[in-house]
Amino acid sequence: ETLHVLSTLAEVRTATETVAASGQRLISIMTPDLEPDIYDQAAILDIIKRFVLGHSFAKVRVLTREQPRLVSGANHFIAMAYRLTSYLEIRVRAPQYQELACAYCIADDRAIVYRVRADRAEGIAGFNNPPIARQYLQEFDAIWQASGTEERELRVARR
């Protein structure tokens, strides 16, 4: 599978929607702040909602740089996390990973949208590229495990 070069926010958004829609059991998202221009859009919210409600044992894991806040419904992704706590889990990255600048979305272990810098639209997408997806999924899993302590985990069910 070839990699697609992304250079605009619209291309990143479309590629992220394509990757997320291809998921069957697991979507893993690394983002500094749940980037509203990507993850707080109706299309991606609908894709994630259909994913978790339409697949047995589906899971969405999100790693953020800081604790996301729900301010009077301002972020629809967080509001959805409140409603779908069994399927959608958000964790704050462990201190040793706070300075990571990259952002990505991985579906299962085969599709990925990756940006070296989350504050820029330039990146790549592989819609059926298991070697690259697995490489970053391993990184994500390591950060996820390191960030799993009680004080860093966003417990939406307890709020």
Side-chain angles (χ1 to χ4, degrees):
E1 168 78 19
T2 60
L3 292 174
H4 304 273
V5 176
L6 310 173
S7 59
T8 67
L9 181 60
E11 290 173 343
V12 170
R13 190 179 303 121
T14 300
T16 302
E17 292 165 5
T18 302
V19 165
S22 74
Q24 297 297 309
R25 62 190 179 287
L26 179 65
I27 295 174
S28 304
I29 299 170
M30 171 85 75
T31 176
D33 57 1
L34 283 170
E35 305 160 275
D37 290 336
I38 299 172
Y39 297 105
D40 199 25
Q41 302 298 311
I44 192 73
L45 293 168
D46 187 53
I47 288 167
I48 290 176
K49 182 174 151 187
R50 281 187 279 126
F51 168 74
V52 297
L53 297 177
H55 294 89
S56 297
F57 306 106
K59 188 77 169 172
V60 177
R61 303 179 302 170
V62 181
L63 283 168
T64 65
R65 184 177 301 144
E66 55 193 43
Q67 181 102 352
R69 289 172 179 66
L70 179 61
V71 182
S72 40
N75 189 306
H76 297 95
F77 193 95
I78 297 296
M80 184 170 59
Y82 273 99
R83 293 189 309 274
L84 302 172
T85 58
S86 299
Y87 306 100
L88 206 153
E89 187 174 354
I90 300 171
R91 291 184 184 177
V92 176
R93 288 185 249 165
Q96 65 268 34
Y97 299 106
Q98 286 295 313
E99 297 307 314
L100 287 177
C102 64
Y104 49 82
C105 176
I106 305 169
D108 299 323
D109 60 353
R110 67 184 195 304
I112 184 169
V113 173
Y114 178 84
R115 292 175 292 137
V116 173
R117 292 186 44 144
D119 62 346
R120 306 201 46 163
E122 294 84 17
I124 59 166
F127 302 119
N128 186 21
N129 202 312
I132 293 175
R134 285 185 191 125
Q135 174 186 344
Y136 288 101
L137 186 58
Q138 285 178 342
E139 174 187 77
F140 184 95
D141 288 342
I143 298 168
W144 184 259
Q145 291 302 320
S147 304
T149 60
E150 181 75 25
E151 61 271 10
R152 284 191 289 274
E153 192 167 343
L154 175 65
R155 297 282 188 181
V156 281
R158 291 187 186 170
R159 285 187 165 202

Coordinates of all heavy atoms in Angstrom, one line a residue, residues 81-145:
A81 N -17.7 10.8 25.1 CA -16.9 9.9 26.1 C -17.7 9.7 27.4 O -17.7 8.7 28.0 CB -15.5 10.5 26.3
Y82 N -18.4 10.8 27.8 CA -19.2 10.7 29.0 C -20.3 9.6 28.8 O -20.7 8.9 29.7 CB -19.9 12.0 29.4 CG -19.0 12.9 30.2 CD1 -18.3 13.9 29.7 CD2 -19.0 12.7 31.6 CE1 -17.5 14.8 30.4 CE2 -18.2 13.6 32.4 CZ -17.5 14.6 31.8 OH -16.8 15.4 32.6
R83 N -20.9 9.6 27.6 CA -22.0 8.7 27.3 C -21.5 7.3 27.0 O -22.3 6.3 27.2 CB -22.8 9.2 26.2 CG -23.6 10.5 26.5 CD -24.5 10.9 25.4 NE -24.0 10.9 24.1 CZ -23.3 12.0 23.5 NH1 -23.2 13.1 24.2 NH2 -22.9 11.9 22.3
L84 N -20.3 7.1 26.5 CA -19.8 5.8 26.0 C -18.6 5.4 26.8 O -17.6 4.9 26.2 CB -19.5 5.9 24.5 CG -20.7 6.3 23.6 CD1 -20.2 6.5 22.2 CD2 -21.8 5.2 23.6
T85 N -18.7 5.5 28.1 CA -17.5 5.2 29.0 C -17.0 3.8 28.8 O -15.8 3.5 29.1 CB -17.8 5.5 30.5 OG1 -18.9 4.7 30.9 CG2 -18.1 6.9 30.7
S86 N -17.8 2.8 28.5 CA -17.3 1.4 28.3 C -16.5 1.2 27.0 O -15.8 0.3 26.9 CB -18.5 0.5 28.3 OG -19.3 0.6 29.4
Y87 N -16.6 2.2 26.1 CA -16.0 2.0 24.8 C -14.9 3.0 24.5 O -14.0 2.8 23.7 CB -17.0 2.2 23.7 CG -18.2 1.3 23.8 CD1 -19.4 1.7 24.3 CD2 -18.2 -0.1 23.4 CE1 -20.5 0.9 24.4 CE2 -19.3 -0.9 23.5 CZ -20.4 -0.4 24.1 OH -21.5 -1.2 24.2
L88 N -14.9 4.1 25.2 CA -14.1 5.2 24.9 C -13.3 5.7 26.1 O -13.9 6.1 27.1 CB -14.9 6.4 24.3 CG -14.2 7.4 23.4 CD1 -15.2 8.0 22.5 CD2 -13.4 8.4 24.2
E89 N -12.0 5.5 26.1 CA -11.2 5.8 27.3 C -10.1 6.9 26.9 O -9.5 6.7 25.9 CB -10.5 4.6 27.8 CG -9.8 4.7 29.1 CD -9.2 3.5 29.6 OE1 -9.5 2.4 29.1 OE2 -8.5 3.5 30.6
I90 N -10.0 7.9 27.7 CA -9.1 9.0 27.5 C -8.1 9.0 28.7 O -8.5 9.0 29.8 CB -9.8 10.3 27.4 CG1 -10.8 10.3 26.2 CG2 -8.8 11.4 27.2 CD1 -11.7 11.5 26.1
R91 N -6.8 9.0 28.3 CA -5.8 9.1 29.4 C -4.8 10.3 29.0 O -4.6 10.6 27.9 CB -4.9 7.9 29.4 CG -5.6 6.7 29.9 CD -4.7 5.5 30.1 NE -5.5 4.3 30.5 CZ -4.9 3.1 30.6 NH1 -3.6 2.9 30.3 NH2 -5.7 2.1 31.0
V92 N -4.3 10.9 30.1 CA -3.3 11.9 30.0 C -2.0 11.2 29.9 O -1.7 10.3 30.7 CB -3.4 12.9 31.1 CG1 -2.3 14.0 31.1 CG2 -4.7 13.6 31.2
R93 N -1.1 11.7 29.0 CA 0.2 11.0 28.8 C 1.0 11.2 30.1 O 1.0 12.2 30.8 CB 1.0 11.7 27.7 CG 0.4 11.3 26.3 CD 1.3 11.9 25.3 NE 0.6 13.0 24.6 CZ 1.1 13.9 23.8 NH1 2.4 13.9 23.6 NH2 0.4 14.8 23.2
A94 N 1.8 10.1 30.4 CA 2.7 10.1 31.5 C 3.7 11.3 31.3 O 4.0 11.7 30.2 CB 3.4 8.8 31.6
P95 N 4.3 11.8 32.4 CA 5.2 13.0 32.3 C 6.3 12.8 31.3 O 6.7 13.7 30.6 CB 5.7 13.1 33.7 CG 4.7 12.5 34.6 CD 4.1 11.4 33.8
Q96 N 6.9 11.6 31.2 CA 8.0 11.4 30.3 C 7.6 11.5 28.8 O 8.5 11.6 27.9 CB 8.8 10.1 30.6 CG 8.0 8.9 30.3 CD 7.2 8.3 31.5 OE1 6.8 9.1 32.4 NE2 7.1 7.0 31.7
Y97 N 6.3 11.5 28.5 CA 5.8 11.6 27.1 C 5.1 12.9 26.8 O 4.6 13.1 25.8 CB 4.9 10.4 26.8 CG 5.6 9.1 27.0 CD1 5.3 8.3 28.1 CD2 6.5 8.7 26.0 CE1 5.9 7.0 28.2 CE2 7.1 7.4 26.2 CZ 6.8 6.6 27.2 OH 7.4 5.4 27.4
Q98 N 5.2 13.9 27.7 CA 4.4 15.1 27.6 C 5.0 15.9 26.4 O 4.2 16.7 25.8 CB 4.5 16.0 28.8 CG 3.6 15.5 29.9 CD 2.2 15.5 29.6 OE1 1.7 16.6 29.1 NE2 1.4 14.5 29.8
E99 N 6.2 15.9 26.1 CA 6.8 16.7 25.0 C 6.7 16.1 23.6 O 7.1 16.8 22.7 CB 8.3 17.0 25.4 CG 8.4 17.8 26.7 CD 7.6 19.1 26.7 OE1 7.6 19.8 25.8 OE2 7.0 19.3 27.8
L100 N 6.1 15.0 23.5 CA 5.9 14.5 22.1 C 5.1 15.4 21.3 O 4.0 15.9 21.7 CB 5.2 13.1 22.2 CG 6.0 11.9 22.7 CD1 5.1 10.7 22.7 CD2 7.2 11.7 21.8
A101 N 5.5 15.7 20.1 CA 4.8 16.7 19.2 C 4.0 16.0 18.2 O 3.2 16.7 17.5 CB 5.9 17.6 18.5
C102 N 4.1 14.7 18.0 CA 3.3 14.1 16.9 C 1.8 13.9 17.3 O 1.4 14.0 18.4 CB 4.0 12.7 16.7 SG 3.9 11.6 18.0
A103 N 1.1 13.6 16.3 CA -0.3 13.2 16.4 C -0.6 12.1 15.4 O -0.1 12.2 14.3 CB -1.2 14.4 16.2
Y104 N -1.5 11.2 15.8 CA -1.9 10.1 14.9 C -3.2 9.5 15.3 O -3.6 9.6 16.4 CB -0.8 9.1 14.6 CG -0.1 8.5 15.9 CD1 -0.6 7.5 16.6 CD2 1.1 9.0 16.3 CE1 0.0 6.9 17.6 CE2 1.8 8.4 17.4 CZ 1.2 7.4 18.0 OH 1.9 6.8 19.1
C105 N -3.7 8.8 14.3 CA -4.9 8.0 14.5 C -4.7 6.6 13.8 O -4.3 6.6 12.6 CB -6.1 8.7 13.9 SG -7.7 7.7 14.0
I106 N -4.8 5.5 14.6 CA -4.6 4.2 14.1 C -5.8 3.4 14.2 O -6.4 3.3 15.3 CB -3.4 3.5 14.8 CG1 -2.2 4.4 14.8 CG2 -3.2 2.1 14.2 CD1 -1.1 3.9 15.8
A107 N -6.2 2.7 13.1 CA -7.3 1.8 13.2 C -6.8 0.4 13.2 O -6.0 0.0 12.3 CB -8.3 2.0 12.0
D108 N -7.2 -0.4 14.2 CA -6.7 -1.8 14.4 C -5.2 -1.7 14.3 O -4.6 -1.0 15.0 CB -7.3 -2.7 13.4 CG -8.9 -2.8 13.5 OD1 -9.3 -2.7 14.7 OD2 -9.6 -2.8 12.5
D109 N -4.6 -2.5 13.4 CA -3.1 -2.5 13.3 C -2.7 -2.4 11.8 O -1.7 -2.9 11.4 CB -2.5 -3.7 13.9 CG -3.0 -5.0 13.3 OD1 -3.9 -5.0 12.5 OD2 -2.4 -6.1 13.7
R110 N -3.6 -1.7 11.1 CA -3.3 -1.6 9.6 C -3.5 -0.2 9.0 O -3.0 0.0 7.9 CB -4.1 -2.7 8.9 CG -5.6 -2.4 8.9 CD -6.3 -3.6 8.2 NE -7.7 -3.3 7.9 CZ -8.6 -2.9 8.7 NH1 -8.4 -2.7 9.9 NH2 -9.9 -2.7 8.3
A111 N -4.2 0.7 9.5 CA -4.4 2.0 8.9 C -4.0 3.1 9.8 O -4.2 3.0 11.0 CB -5.9 2.2 8.5
I112 N -3.4 4.1 9.3 CA -2.8 5.2 10.1 C -2.8 6.6 9.4 O -2.6 6.6 8.2 CB -1.4 4.9 10.6 CG1 -0.8 6.0 11.5 CG2 -0.5 4.7 9.4 CD1 0.5 5.6 12.2
V113 N -3.1 7.6 10.1 CA -2.8 9.0 9.7 C -1.8 9.5 10.7 O -2.0 9.4 11.9 CB -4.1 9.9 9.8 CG1 -3.7 11.3 9.6 CG2 -5.1 9.4 8.8
Y114 N -0.7 10.0 10.2 CA 0.4 10.4 11.1 C 0.9 11.8 10.7 O 1.2 12.0 9.5 CB 1.6 9.4 11.0 CG 2.8 9.8 11.9 CD1 2.8 9.4 13.2 CD2 3.8 10.5 11.3 CE1 3.9 9.8 14.0 CE2 4.9 10.9 12.1 CZ 4.9 10.5 13.4 OH 6.0 10.9 14.2
R115 N 1.1 12.6 11.8 CA 1.7 13.9 11.6 C 2.9 14.1 12.6 O 2.7 13.8 13.7 CB 0.7 15.0 11.8 CG -0.4 15.1 10.7 CD -1.5 16.1 11.0 NE -2.2 15.6 12.2 CZ -2.6 16.4 13.1 NH1 -2.4 17.7 13.1 NH2 -3.3 16.0 14.1
V116 N 4.0 14.5 12.1 CA 5.2 14.6 13.0 C 4.9 15.7 14.0 O 5.3 15.6 15.2 CB 6.5 15.0 12.2 CG1 7.6 15.3 13.1 CG2 6.8 13.8 11.2
R117 N 4.2 16.8 13.6 CA 3.9 17.9 14.5 C 2.4 18.1 14.5 O 1.8 18.3 13.4 CB 4.6 19.2 14.0 CG 6.1 19.1 14.2 CD 6.7 20.4 13.9 NE 5.9 21.5 14.5 CZ 6.4 22.6 15.1 NH1 7.7 22.7 15.0 NH2 5.7 23.5 15.5
A118 N 1.7 18.0 15.6 CA 0.3 18.1 15.7 C -0.2 19.5 15.4 O -1.3 19.7 15.0 CB -0.1 17.8 17.2
D119 N 0.7 20.5 15.5 CA 0.2 21.9 15.2 C 0.3 22.2 13.7 O 0.1 23.3 13.3 CB 1.0 22.9 16.0 CG 2.5 22.8 15.7 OD1 3.0 21.8 15.1 OD2 3.2 23.7 16.1
R120 N 0.7 21.2 12.9 CA 0.8 21.4 11.4 C -0.1 20.3 10.7 O -0.3 19.2 11.2 CB 2.2 21.3 11.0 CG 3.1 22.2 11.8 CD 4.3 22.6 11.2 NE 4.2 22.9 9.8 CZ 5.1 23.6 9.1 NH1 6.1 24.0 9.8 NH2 5.0 23.8 7.9
A121 N -0.5 20.7 9.5 CA -1.4 19.7 8.7 C -0.6 18.7 7.9 O -1.1 17.7 7.5 CB -2.3 20.5 7.8
E122 N 0.7 18.9 7.8 CA 1.5 18.0 6.9 C 1.6 16.7 7.6 O 1.9 16.6 8.8 CB 2.9 18.6 6.7 CG 2.9 19.8 5.8 CD 2.6 21.1 6.6 OE1 2.8 21.1 7.9 OE2 2.3 22.1 6.0
G123 N 1.4 15.6 6.8 CA 1.5 14.3 7.4 C 1.4 13.2 6.3 O 1.5 13.5 5.1
I124 N 1.2 12.0 6.7 CA 1.0 10.9 5.8 C -0.2 10.0 6.2 O -0.6 10.1 7.4 CB 2.3 10.0 5.7 CG1 2.6 9.4 7.1 CG2 3.4 10.7 5.1 CD1 3.5 8.2 7.1
A125 N -0.7 9.3 5.3 CA -1.8 8.4 5.6 C -1.6 7.1 4.8 O -1.2 7.1 3.7 CB -3.2 9.0 5.2
G126 N -1.8 6.0 5.5 CA -1.7 4.7 4.9 C -3.0 3.9 5.3 O -3.2 3.7 6.5
F127 N -3.8 3.7 4.3 CA -5.1 3.1 4.6 C -5.1 1.6 4.7 O -6.1 1.0 5.2 CB -6.1 3.6 3.6 CG -6.2 5.1 3.5 CD1 -5.9 5.8 2.3 CD2 -6.6 5.8 4.6 CE1 -6.0 7.1 2.3 CE2 -6.7 7.2 4.6 CZ -6.4 7.9 3.4
N128 N -4.0 1.0 4.3 CA -3.8 -0.5 4.5 C -2.3 -0.7 4.5 O -1.7 -1.2 3.6 CB -4.5 -1.2 3.3 CG -4.4 -2.7 3.6 OD1 -4.2 -3.2 4.7 ND2 -4.5 -3.5 2.5
N129 N -1.7 -0.3 5.6 CA -0.3 -0.3 5.7 C 0.1 -0.9 7.1 O 0.6 -0.1 8.0 CB 0.3 1.1 5.5 CG 1.8 1.0 5.1 OD1 2.5 0.3 5.7 ND2 2.1 1.8 4.0
P130 N -0.1 -2.2 7.3 CA 0.2 -2.8 8.6 C 1.6 -2.5 9.1 O 1.7 -2.3 10.4 CB -0.1 -4.3 8.4 CG -1.0 -4.3 7.2 CD -0.6 -3.1 6.3
P131 N 2.7 -2.6 8.4 CA 4.0 -2.4 9.0 C 4.1 -1.0 9.7 O 4.6 -0.9 10.8 CB 5.0 -2.5 7.8 CG 4.3 -3.3 6.8 CD 2.8 -2.9 7.0
I132 N 3.7 0.0 9.1 CA 3.8 1.4 9.7 C 2.8 1.5 10.8 O 3.1 2.0 11.9 CB 3.6 2.5 8.6 CG1 4.8 2.4 7.7 CG2 3.5 3.9 9.3 CD1 4.7 3.4 6.5
A133 N 1.6 1.0 10.6 CA 0.6 1.1 11.6 C 1.0 0.4 12.9 O 0.9 0.9 14.0 CB -0.8 0.6 11.1
R134 N 1.6 -0.8 12.7 CA 2.0 -1.6 13.9 C 3.2 -0.9 14.6 O 3.2 -1.0 15.8 CB 2.5 -3.0 13.4 CG 1.3 -3.9 13.1 CD 1.8 -5.3 12.8 NE 0.6 -6.0 12.2 CZ 0.7 -6.7 11.0 NH1 1.7 -6.7 10.3 NH2 -0.4 -7.3 10.6
Q135 N 4.1 -0.3 13.9 CA 5.2 0.4 14.5 C 4.7 1.5 15.4 O 5.1 1.6 16.6 CB 6.1 1.1 13.4 CG 7.2 1.9 14.0 CD 7.9 2.7 12.9 OE1 7.8 2.3 11.7 NE2 8.6 3.7 13.3
Y136 N 3.7 2.3 15.0 CA 3.2 3.4 15.9 C 2.2 2.8 16.9 O 2.1 3.4 18.0 CB 2.6 4.5 15.0 CG 3.7 5.3 14.3 CD1 4.0 5.1 13.0 CD2 4.5 6.2 15.1 CE1 5.1 5.8 12.4 CE2 5.6 6.9 14.5 CZ 5.8 6.6 13.2 OH 6.9 7.3 12.6
L137 N 1.6 1.7 16.6 CA 0.7 1.1 17.6 C 1.5 0.6 18.8 O 1.1 0.7 19.9 CB -0.1 0.0 17.0 CG -1.2 -0.6 17.9 CD1 -2.2 0.5 18.4 CD2 -1.9 -1.7 17.2
Q138 N 2.7 0.1 18.5 CA 3.6 -0.4 19.6 C 4.0 0.8 20.5 O 4.0 0.7 21.7 CB 4.8 -1.1 19.0 CG 4.6 -2.4 18.5 CD 5.8 -3.1 17.9 OE1 6.8 -2.4 17.6 NE2 5.8 -4.4 17.8
E139 N 4.3 1.9 19.8 CA 4.7 3.2 20.6 C 3.5 3.6 21.4 O 3.6 3.9 22.6 CB 5.1 4.3 19.6 CG 5.3 5.6 20.3 CD 5.5 6.8 19.4 OE1 4.5 7.2 18.8 OE2 6.7 7.1 19.2
F140 N 2.3 3.6 20.8 CA 1.1 4.0 21.5 C 0.8 3.1 22.7 O 0.6 3.6 23.8 CB -0.1 4.0 20.6 CG -1.4 4.5 21.2 CD1 -1.8 5.8 21.0 CD2 -2.2 3.7 22.0 CE1 -2.9 6.3 21.6 CE2 -3.3 4.1 22.5 CZ -3.7 5.5 22.4
D141 N 1.0 1.8 22.5 CA 0.7 0.8 23.6 C 1.7 1.1 24.8 O 1.3 1.0 25.9 CB 0.9 -0.6 23.1 CG -0.3 -1.0 22.2 OD1 -1.4 -0.4 22.2 OD2 -0.1 -2.0 21.5
A142 N 2.9 1.4 24.5 CA 3.9 1.6 25.5 C 3.5 2.9 26.3 O 3.6 2.9 27.6 CB 5.3 1.8 25.0
I143 N 3.1 3.9 25.6 CA 2.7 5.2 26.3 C 1.4 5.0 27.1 O 1.3 5.5 28.2 CB 2.6 6.3 25.3 CG1 4.0 6.6 24.6 CG2 2.1 7.6 25.9 CD1 3.9 7.5 23.4
W144 N 0.5 4.2 26.5 CA -0.8 3.9 27.1 C -0.5 3.2 28.5 O -1.1 3.6 29.5 CB -1.6 3.0 26.2 CG -3.0 2.7 26.7 CD1 -3.4 1.6 27.3 CD2 -4.1 3.6 26.7 NE1 -4.7 1.7 27.6 CE2 -5.2 2.9 27.3 CE3 -4.3 4.9 26.2 CZ2 -6.5 3.5 27.4 CZ3 -5.6 5.4 26.3 CH2 -6.6 4.7 26.9
Q145 N 0.4 2.2 28.4 CA 0.7 1.5 29.7 C 1.3 2.4 30.7 O 1.0 2.3 31.9 CB 1.6 0.3 29.4 CG 0.9 -0.8 28.6 CD -0.4 -1.4 29.2 OE1 -0.4 -1.6 30.4 NE2 -1.4 -1.6 28.4

